[in-house]
Amino acid sequence: MDGYIEYTSRPGHVGLTLITLGGLSVLAALFWQTAPGYVLLLLIPSILICMYQTVVTPTFGLRMGEAEWVIMDGINDMRIAASEIAYLRVVERSDAAHASVVLSNGIELDVPLDDDQLHGNLVADARAMGITVQQR
C-alpha cells in the first residue's frame, strides 16, 4: 500500500462564504457613491475578513500511512509513528460516535472525525495498515 489514506474535513461552507462575499461586494458598490467613508470603514474590512476566513480554515481529520499517522486537529498536527500505535478504538453509537488512537504507552489521542467518516471505511483501512481495531 503506497501513500496515505486521508479522512479529513473543513468546517464551514465555502459556497455560503462566497455568496456572503458577493453580497458584501454588491453593498460596497451600491453605497460607494453616497457614503464612501462608511464603505471603507465597514464593508472593506468585512470583505477582507470573509476572504481571510475562506483561505485560513483549518483541516481536521486523520491521515494514515504505513510509517506514520497524522492527527490533524486544526492548528496542531500530531505525527505518530505507526510502530507506537497499540490499536484504534472506534465507538460507533449513533449518539456518540468517535475514534481514538491508543498508543503503546497507554496515551489515548482523540481523532476529530465526522460521524459519516467513522461509519465509512476507517476500520477496514486501519486493519489494512496492520493496526488492531477495537469496535464498540
Side-chain angles (χ1 to χ4, degrees):
M1 189 174 285
D2 298 359
Y4 290 97
I5 298 173
E6 289 189 358
Y7 291 92
T8 59
S9 65
R10 289 180 66 162
H13 194 276
V14 176
L16 290 176
T17 303
L18 293 176
I19 290 171
T20 303
L21 183 61
L24 287 172
S25 299
V26 169
L27 281 175
L30 289 174
F31 288 120
W32 183 258
Q33 295 299 322
T34 57
Y38 287 120
V39 170
L40 292 175
L41 184 67
L42 299 174
L43 291 177
I44 298 299
S46 299
I47 290 172
L48 291 175
I49 289 170
C50 191
M51 289 179 3
Y52 175 78
Q53 288 177 340
T54 302
V55 172
V56 184
T57 303
T59 302
F60 297 93
L62 176 67
R63 180 182 300 144
M64 301 184 302
E66 290 288 334
E68 72 175 0
W69 286 25
V70 180
I71 298 175
M72 293 174 275
D73 193 15
I75 299 170
N76 302 322
D77 292 350
M78 291 183 281
R79 298 185 177 279
I80 305 162
S83 60
E84 294 179 12
I85 299 173
Y87 58 91
L88 175 68
R89 178 181 296 141
V90 178
V91 178
E92 291 186 350
R93 288 180 282 164
S94 61
D95 60 337
H98 77 279
S100 56
V101 175
V102 180
L103 303 179
S104 55
N105 60 4
I107 296 174
E108 187 171 330
L109 304 170
D110 287 333
V111 179
L113 293 175
D114 296 337
D115 290 344
D116 296 337
Q117 294 169 329
L118 288 173
H119 296 295
N121 296 328
L122 176 66
V123 172
D125 290 338
R127 286 184 177 146
M129 295 276 181
I131 301 297
T132 306
V133 178
Q134 280 187 359
Q135 286 182 285
R136 293 183 187 175

